[in-house]
């Protein structure tokens, strides 16, 4: 009976005029090479020889964001000017169907992301309001799209301009020049995400504002990490610079992107303060005096603590120079790893687990603690300056850091948290005195 009722509701919703129009527009605007979604060059500008749309839509003047159809600071021409007009007419932060359509269009036509964001009129000054939360969430979803690596490749007659071009690394033929720097940056850390806004949001008194800002920043850094990998792979395939990074065009573009990303993201000290504050609040919410407190407090603090360690790990991989300038000792992250062991939600109170709350809440907190362990262990394994023989950051410092890593490997009952300590332990033991040679 319930299944039949749900089917009738779904069928009734599918006949709603708004949903019918929405699916029609999705079919018309989100399939490359079909309808009014013309095949573009991805992150590359349209060449003068390309003519996928009628001549009345052509323009040789740079776009102005103050005029209808303006395409932001990038200038030049667009393949999908009709879709750009449609995007500017949508209200994606107030209507869910508009949001779904806008995201689908931007994913199908990557050339529109760079001109659309400056022209969207989104206000990102941090404040606790539903409009700001919707704006940040929408920008984060746009940034979270995959890198269109297919546009980095030379066109092949046997493949279309989609991901089918990515058959194998051996068959890839990259273009001699990388995409424009400004286009890459607008798809990674756009200009509307000002460094000042992100820094203020990470220090905002509202936990919700801090969480949304941290999620958006993490998507920017993850996107930058994927772009770094794509640019490095292109340089390797083209054999530029004979193994010296930065000698070829793709290598220089990678260095330029890395330098600009460092300028646009908040300082590492701001992120470190965000992570430490959330770690302290997570520990205090699990103390004896808060066992009978708000049921959502522990979950909130666990989410913020995991997000803080994720950001610290991303800074180590994406902007290692910023971490080095701050002189951050990665061994201090061992303290968060120890706190995760001492506060395992899967254990009873006598075993050092989290008390109070429902089973579902405790399972979620336990999963977040495991994620935090993975962030810390990955950071430790990738850091070459980490001193394994030093005492752990605890009071009193009884055991060494390597002892804690091996303890993590032997006590974890989850596959991924066992693999990371295994890698870290191998790195530690293989270079020790009994085993001077790496194995």
């Amino acid at each position: 009976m319930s299944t039949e009722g749900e089917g009738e509701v779904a069928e009734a919703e599918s006949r709603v005029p708004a949903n019918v129009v929405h699916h029609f527009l999705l079919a018309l605007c989100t399939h490359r090479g079909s309808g009014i979604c013309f095949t573009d060059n991805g992150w590359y500008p349209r060449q003068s020889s390309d003519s996928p749309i009628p001549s009345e839509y052509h323009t040789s003047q740079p776009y102005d964001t103050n005029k209808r159809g303006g395409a932001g600071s990038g200038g030049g021409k667009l393949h999908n000017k009709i879709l750009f007009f449609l995007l500017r007419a949508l209200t994606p932060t107030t209507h869910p169907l508009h949001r779904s359509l806008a995201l689908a269009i931007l994913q199908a036509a990557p050339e529109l992301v760079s001109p659309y964001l400056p022209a969207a009129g989104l206000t990102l000054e941090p404040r606790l309001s539903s409009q700001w939360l919707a704006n940040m969430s929408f920008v984060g979803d746009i940034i979270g799209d995959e890198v269109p690596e297919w546009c980095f490749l030379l066109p092949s007659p046997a493949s279309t301009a989609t991901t089918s071009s990515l058959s194998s690394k051996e068959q890839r033929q990259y273009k001699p020049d990388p995409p424009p720097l400004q286009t890459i940056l607008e798809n990674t850390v756009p200009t509307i995400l000002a460094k000042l806004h992100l820094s203020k949001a990470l220090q905002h008194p509202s936990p919700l504002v801090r969480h949304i800002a941290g999620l958006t920043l993490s998507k920017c850094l993850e996107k930058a990490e994927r772009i770094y990998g794509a640019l490095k792979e292109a340089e390797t395939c083209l054999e530029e610079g004979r193994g010296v990074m930065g000698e070829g065009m793709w290598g220089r573009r990678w260095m330029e992107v890395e330098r600009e990303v460092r300028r646009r993201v908040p300082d590492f000290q701001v992120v470190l303060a965000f992570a430490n504050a959330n770690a302290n609040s997570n520990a205090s919410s699990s103390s004896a005096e808060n066992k009978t407190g708000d049921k959502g407090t522990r979950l909130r603090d666990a989410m913020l603590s995991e997000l803080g360690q994720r950001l610290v790990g991303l800074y180590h991989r994406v902007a290692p120079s910023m971490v080095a300038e701050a002189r951050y000792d990665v061994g201090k992250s061992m303290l968060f790893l120890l706190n995760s062991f001492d506060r395992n939600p899967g254990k009873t109170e006598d075993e050092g687990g989290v008390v109070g709350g429902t089973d579902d809440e405790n399972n979620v907190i336990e999963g977040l603690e495991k994620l935090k362990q993975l962030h810390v262990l990955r950071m430790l394994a990738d850091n070459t300056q980490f001193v394994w023989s030093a005492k752990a950051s605890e009071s009193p410092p009884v055991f060494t850091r390597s002892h804690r890593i091996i303890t993590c490997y032997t006590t974890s009952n989850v596959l991924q948290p066992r693999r990371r300590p295994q890698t870290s332990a191998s790195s530690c033991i293989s270079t020790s005195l009994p085993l001077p040679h790496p194995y």
Side-chain angles (χ1 to χ4, degrees), residues 63-135:
Y63 293 123
D64 184 4
T65 56
N66 297 322
K67 297 180 181 180
R68 177 175 173 80
S73 58
K77 302 177 182 179
L78 291 175
H79 292 81
N80 292 285
K81 191 176 180 182
I82 302 176
L83 292 182
F84 185 78
F85 289 156
L86 176 60
L87 282 173
R88 297 200 63 184
L90 298 177
T91 55
T93 59
T94 58
H95 199 292
L97 295 181
H98 289 198
R99 179 192 181 100
S100 175
L101 178 61
L103 292 175
I105 291 176
L106 293 174
Q107 187 174 12
E111 69 165 355
L112 298 178
V113 174
S114 178
Y116 170 70
L117 283 177
L122 300 176
T123 303
L124 299 181
E125 179 71 25
R127 62 184 185 275
L128 184 58
S129 67
S130 59
Q131 186 61 49
W132 181 85
L133 296 175
N135 291 346

Side-chain angles (χ1 to χ4, degrees), residues 304-351:
L304 290 173
S305 179
E306 183 273 330
L307 180 58
Q309 289 307 306
R310 187 197 315 177
L311 290 175
V312 173
L314 285 170
Y315 266 76
H316 273 81
R317 300 195 301 272
V318 176
S321 60
M322 298 181 68
V323 180
E325 292 174 358
R327 297 181 179 180
Y328 175 68
D329 181 12
V330 69
K332 295 181 180 179
S333 298
M334 290 286 294
L335 180 60
F336 306 132
L337 188 63
L338 297 176
N339 290 339
S340 298
F341 290 138
D342 297 337
R343 194 172 56 255
N344 190 338
K347 298 179 181 180
T348 64
E349 181 179 2
D350 295 336
E351 295 172 336

Side-chain angles (χ1 to χ4, degrees), residues 42 58 60 103 154 180 195 228 258 260 325 335 380 408:
H58 289 180
S60 59
L103 292 175
L154 292 172
K195 178 178 181 179
Y228 292 172
E258 185 185 34
E260 292 299 325
E325 292 174 358
L335 180 60
L380 296 178
C408 175

Side-chain angles (χ1 to χ4, degrees), residues 47-345:
Q47 304 299 326
S48 58
S49 60
D50 299 339
S51 182
I53 57 178
S55 58
E56 58 265 24
Y57 292 107
H58 289 180
T59 175
S60 59
Q61 300 298 326
Y63 293 123
D64 184 4
T65 56
N66 297 322
K67 297 180 181 180
R68 177 175 173 80
S73 58
K77 302 177 182 179
L78 291 175
H79 292 81
N80 292 285
K81 191 176 180 182
I82 302 176
L83 292 182
F84 185 78
F85 289 156
L86 176 60
L87 282 173
R88 297 200 63 184
L90 298 177
T91 55
T93 59
T94 58
H95 199 292
L97 295 181
H98 289 198
R99 179 192 181 100
S100 175
L101 178 61
L103 292 175
I105 291 176
L106 293 174
Q107 187 174 12
E111 69 165 355
L112 298 178
V113 174
S114 178
Y116 170 70
L117 283 177
L122 300 176
T123 303
L124 299 181
E125 179 71 25
R127 62 184 185 275
L128 184 58
S129 67
S130 59
Q131 186 61 49
W132 181 85
L133 296 175
N135 291 346
M136 288 291 288
S137 177
F138 180 61
V139 173
D141 288 343
I142 295 176
I143 297 174
D145 285 340
E146 294 295 328
V147 179
E149 296 187 43
W150 52 265
C151 71
F152 299 169
L153 307 177
L154 292 172
S156 175
S159 62
T160 61
T162 60
T163 54
S164 61
S165 304
L166 307 177
S167 55
S168 64
K169 294 183 179 180
E170 292 77 9
Q171 299 176 356
R172 293 183 180 182
Q173 296 182 354
Y174 284 89
K175 295 179 180 179
D177 56 327
L181 174 62
Q182 189 64 25
T183 302
I184 297 178
L185 292 175
E186 289 300 320
N187 283 268
T188 309
V189 189
T191 307
I192 59 174
L193 271 180
K195 178 178 181 179
L196 180 61
H197 291 168
L198 284 175
S199 300
K200 286 183 177 180
L202 291 175
Q203 301 173 2
H204 199 273
S206 172
L208 183 57
V209 172
R210 297 199 304 269
H211 186 260
I212 294 297
L215 285 178
T216 305
L217 178 58
S218 68
K219 290 181 180 180
C220 295
L221 296 174
E222 290 169 356
K223 185 70 167 288
E225 186 177 19
R226 295 197 299 269
I227 292 176
Y228 292 172
L231 295 178
K232 291 179 182 178
E233 183 179 345
E235 186 188 36
T236 302
C237 292
L238 293 175
E239 299 181 353
E240 292 183 345
R242 298 179 181 179
V244 180
M245 195 64 188
E247 292 295 329
M249 296 183 62
W250 288 85
R252 286 197 299 269
R253 183 54 41 85
W254 169 77
M255 297 176 66
E256 292 170 354
V257 172
E258 185 185 34
R259 181 175 61 252
E260 292 299 325
V261 167
R262 291 200 307 265
R263 293 178 179 176
R264 297 191 178 200
V265 298
D267 294 334
F268 181 68
Q269 296 289 358
V270 175
V271 175
L272 190 59
F274 170 79
N276 292 335
N278 294 323
N280 295 333
S281 63
N282 189 24
S284 63
S285 65
S286 300
S287 61
E289 60 184 8
N290 289 325
K291 289 180 180 178
T292 59
D294 185 8
K295 293 182 179 180
T297 302
R298 293 194 309 274
L299 182 58
R300 179 201 66 189
D301 294 337
M303 293 173 62
L304 290 173
S305 179
E306 183 273 330
L307 180 58
Q309 289 307 306
R310 187 197 315 177
L311 290 175
V312 173
L314 285 170
Y315 266 76
H316 273 81
R317 300 195 301 272
V318 176
S321 60
M322 298 181 68
V323 180
E325 292 174 358
R327 297 181 179 180
Y328 175 68
D329 181 12
V330 69
K332 295 181 180 179
S333 298
M334 290 286 294
L335 180 60
F336 306 132
L337 188 63
L338 297 176
N339 290 339
S340 298
F341 290 138
D342 297 337
R343 194 172 56 255
N344 190 338

Side-chain angles (χ1 to χ4, degrees), residues 355-376:
V355 297
T358 63
D359 292 338
D360 292 340
E361 180 183 354
N362 290 337
N363 290 335
V364 172
I365 296 177
E366 182 178 6
L368 292 172
E369 293 292 342
K370 295 299 182 182
L371 278 177
K372 187 164 65 171
Q373 292 178 19
L374 288 175
H375 298 324
V376 175

